[in-house]
Amino acid sequence: MVTMKDVALLAGVSVSTVSHVLNGTRNVAPETRDRVMRAVDALGYRPNMMARGLRRKGIFLLGLVVPDATNPYFAEVARAVEDRCYERGFSLMVASSGGIPEREARAVEAMGLHRVGGIIMVGLGFPEEQARILSGLEIPVVMVDRKIGDLPVDSIQSDNVGGGRMAARHLLDLGHRRIGCVTGPMGLGPSEDRLRGFMEEIEEARVDRSWVSVIHGDFGCESGYRAARGMLSRPDRPTAIFAMNDLMALGVMGAARDAGLSVPSDLSVVGFDGISMGRFFVPSLTTVAQPIASMGHGAVDRIVDRMMGDVEGEIMARILPCSLIQRGSSAPLGCGG
């Protein structure tokens, strides 16, 4: 399908210039206008009528659905989305599903009634339910932090496999071999990808599999606390624990404290997400940081581009790299003497 970008490339102008020519929103030099129209004719480009309708009706409202508005990670994604909406002249309608499929469906329905121009859906989600809900929508949708099978919906997420590898490599480089891992819920793409990357790095390092403990959590502080309490009560307790989000890492640190252990002298801890408050944990949290701002900004940009007809057809599945932020919660094995 021919897009506005194709027209711009052939005419040798910017996409915004093509948009101004087709929509009459700004005066353009006659020779430039002629070049654009010749490119339109040559490529057989047909403007996106839905986008024109949106502009005529003055729809500058986007929707954002998150699983839990109280989770700092989702709150920071929402802030990044809101900041980008403001920069691009859009308002934002936000809803939290509370981890309940029916509430998520109702939120999407309400946004449709409010005539949002597009919806950004973040996080945990319910693959079968979301596929059913989203397949009937006639507005652009972008998934953040996950992708739903073969559903033809744009997505943007971090490299969870690479992030899992990064956490394992950091602890291995510090000399740790007895390592615990607290996962998120199984069945969720990010959890399974992080675990896959973590275990791949462990296996490539030829660490005895019996030295590695894996316990499933639910991304909440309490589940991190419970998992760590179980691991730390064993005679062969781990010397390091990787928690697959920063909230569970906070729970792990609480369990270490209650077990009379010092972080990082007795136990190194690594989280995942890179939430801002991790700097203020005691000790400050070593974490695999997701590119939160880039994901939020990229989701808004893709929605707006689809609304305005600047992209059509091709589905975006963008994966952005994570980064390791080393702070006070991780240290070389034996640093406590």
Side-chain angles (χ1 to χ4, degrees):
M1 184 177 294
V2 178
T3 69
M4 196 176 292
K5 184 176 181 181
D6 297 323
V7 174
L9 287 172
L10 183 59
V13 299
S14 67
V15 172
S16 62
T17 297
V18 175
S19 177
H20 289 310
V21 169
L22 296 178
N23 295 294
T25 50
R26 192 179 72 188
N27 290 327
V28 177
E31 61 182 42
T32 302
R33 181 183 299 276
D34 289 344
R35 282 210 316 276
V36 169
M37 295 311 299
R38 284 198 298 271
V40 166
D41 292 340
L43 295 172
Y45 174 70
R46 295 293 177 267
N48 185 314
M49 298 312 294
M50 183 184 79
R52 285 191 167 186
L54 290 171
R55 281 190 287 267
R56 283 199 302 270
K57 295 171 184 175
I59 296 178
F60 293 100
L61 176 67
L62 301 184
L64 171 67
V65 182
V66 297
D68 181 2
T70 66
N71 183 311
Y73 166 68
F74 296 126
E76 291 192 20
V77 173
R79 176 60 185 270
V81 169
E82 186 175 33
D83 286 347
R84 192 58 144 205
C85 282
Y86 178 79
E87 290 173 4
R88 302 206 60 170
F90 283 76
S91 296
L92 186 66
M93 178 180 180
V94 182
S96 173
S97 70
I100 302 171
E102 292 78 11
R103 282 182 58 174
E104 187 169 84
R106 185 177 298 179
V108 171
E109 180 181 3
M111 288 177 178
L113 292 175
H114 280 80
R115 301 175 65 80
V116 299
I119 295 177
I120 297 168
M121 301 190 71
V122 184
L124 300 182
F126 319 94
E128 292 183 2
E129 285 293 317
Q130 286 184 330
R132 180 184 62 79
I133 296 167
L134 301 181
S135 61
L137 291 178
E138 297 182 354
I139 57 176
V141 175
V142 173
M143 300 293 303
V144 173
D145 202 21
R146 72 173 297 130
K147 184 178 185 299
I148 304 179
D150 297 325
L151 190 69
V153 169
D154 292 320
S155 64
I156 183 167
Q157 57 186 324
S158 64
D159 181 4
N160 288 296
V161 175
R165 278 184 168 273
M166 201 174 285
R169 174 45 52 195
H170 174 65
L171 293 173
L172 291 168
D173 287 345
L174 292 174
H176 297 281
R177 293 298 182 270
R178 293 191 181 276
I179 302 174
C181 177
V182 186
T183 78
M186 289 297 93
L188 293 178
S191 300
E192 295 185 346
D193 288 346
R194 290 170 198 175
L195 180 60
R196 177 157 61 91
F198 175 80
M199 293 308 303
E200 285 174 355
E201 195 71 25
I202 291 290
E203 289 165 5
E204 288 178 14
R206 300 185 183 279
V207 174
D208 190 323
R209 181 63 180 82
S210 67
W211 294 355
V212 180
S213 305
V214 177
I215 296 181
H216 301 316
D218 62 11
F219 284 145
C221 286
E222 184 63 32
S223 69
Y225 181 89
R226 289 194 305 268
R229 286 286 283 182
M231 292 179 186
L232 298 176
S233 65
R234 301 170 185 170
D236 58 345
R237 66 172 178 81
T239 62
I241 294 178
F242 166 44
M244 289 192 182
N245 81 338
D246 289 345
L247 285 184
M248 291 194 300
L250 179 59
V252 169
M253 287 167 48
R257 178 198 62 228
D258 290 352
L261 300 175
S262 174
V263 176
S265 299
D266 301 314
L267 179 74
S268 284
V269 179
V270 175
F272 198 109
D273 279 344
I275 59 175
S276 298
M277 68 170 58
R279 306 196 314 272
F280 306 106
F281 292 174
V282 180
S284 55
L285 181 64
T286 295
T287 184
V288 177
Q290 299 197 68
I292 294 175
S294 295
M295 289 194 295
H297 296 174
V300 173
D301 290 342
R302 187 65 173 187
I303 287 278
V304 174
D305 287 346
R306 283 221 182 269
M307 286 175 62
M308 299 308 173
D310 294 344
V311 292
E312 297 179 16
E314 61 183 272
I315 300 301
M316 177 186 76
R318 184 179 301 169
I319 298 177
L320 303 177
C322 297
S323 59
L324 181 81
I325 301 176
Q326 184 171 1
R327 298 194 182 107
S329 68
S330 61
L333 179 66
C335 72

